[in-house]
């Protein structure tokens, strides 16, 4: 089996483990995301595995989109002794400035298999359109 490891990820995990610092509401951790255009909409996919749907908060104010989520510890019985804990807990957040060409009034959100997918339509005013060319006969001439 081929194993690939990222030494910086391990250092980050180790520092987080040693300091006990996880994402908090005042200092949230980042969440990985992809963003791409698909047809007439912009798609943002954010990884939030293990986060309950009701622990996700999405806000848009003017052109600022904010996604916050909290991964809480699973309830465990008193006799459970943790052997390994690598999955980060705490608060995760991502803020994006959206272009004026996006229709922030019609954003949709779906959450499936730990991936939050936001779909933002391209605004009508930003779509290409044809401009008709008028002739001389289309303009009235004023004679004085």
């Amino acid at each position: 089996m081929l194993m690939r490891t990222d030494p910086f990820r391990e250092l980050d995990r180790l520092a987080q483990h040693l300091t006990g610092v996880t994402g908090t509401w005042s200092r949230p951790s980042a969440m990985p995301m992809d963003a791409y255009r698909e047809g007439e909409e912009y798609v943002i996919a954010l990884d939030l595995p293990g986060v309950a749907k009701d622990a996700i908060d999405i806000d848009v104010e003017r052109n600022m989109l904010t996604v916050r989520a909290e991964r809480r510890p699973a309830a465990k019985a008193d006799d459970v002794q943790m052997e390994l804990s690598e999955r980060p807990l705490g608060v995760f957040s991502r803020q994006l400035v959206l272009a004026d060409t996006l229709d922030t009034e019609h954003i949709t959100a779906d959450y499936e298999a730990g991936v939050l997918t936001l779909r933002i339509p391209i605004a009508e005013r930003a779509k290409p359109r044809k401009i008709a060319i008028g002739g001389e006969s289309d303009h009235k001439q004023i004679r004085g």
Side-chain angles (χ1 to χ4, degrees):
M1 170 167 47
L2 178 64
M3 294 181 67
R4 212 172 110 192
T5 178
D6 178 2
F8 296 110
R9 183 183 63 182
E10 289 300 311
L11 285 173
D12 288 342
R13 187 188 62 75
L14 181 61
Q16 188 178 50
H17 179 72
L18 291 174
T19 61
V21 176
T22 58
T24 63
W25 284 105
S26 60
R27 277 187 92 175
S29 298
M31 61 186 82
M33 71 170 231
D34 290 336
Y36 53 93
R37 183 173 176 164
E38 184 176 72
E40 295 299 315
E41 56 188 10
Y42 205 73
V43 181
I44 299 169
L46 299 133
D47 283 349
L48 294 169
V51 175
K53 185 177 176 179
D54 64 347
I56 301 171
D57 186 39
I58 306 166
D59 291 312
V60 65
E61 184 177 339
R62 297 184 189 196
N63 287 5
M64 179 68 72
L65 174 74
T66 303
V67 178
R68 285 187 179 265
E70 184 175 7
R71 183 180 299 130
R72 300 173 181 120
K76 294 181 179 51
D78 292 336
D79 62 343
V80 173
Q81 184 177 2
M82 186 63 83
E83 295 291 330
L84 179 64
S85 180
E86 292 183 346
R87 297 173 44 209
L89 300 175
V91 179
F92 302 86
S93 180
R94 198 72 186 242
Q95 282 192 316
L96 301 167
V97 177
L98 302 177
D100 290 333
T101 57
L102 298 176
D103 184 357
T104 59
E105 296 294 321
H106 296 97
I107 297 174
T108 60
D110 293 305
Y111 186 58
E112 186 176 331
V115 178
L116 175 66
T117 303
L118 304 173
R119 294 184 175 277
I120 310 167
I122 305 295
E124 286 298 319
R125 68 182 180 278
K127 293 179 182 174
R129 62 189 181 283
K130 294 285 186 186
I131 306 296
I133 302 172
E136 287 182 28
S137 63
D138 293 339
H139 299 286
K140 294 183 180 181
Q141 293 181 353
I142 300 175
R143 296 184 186 176

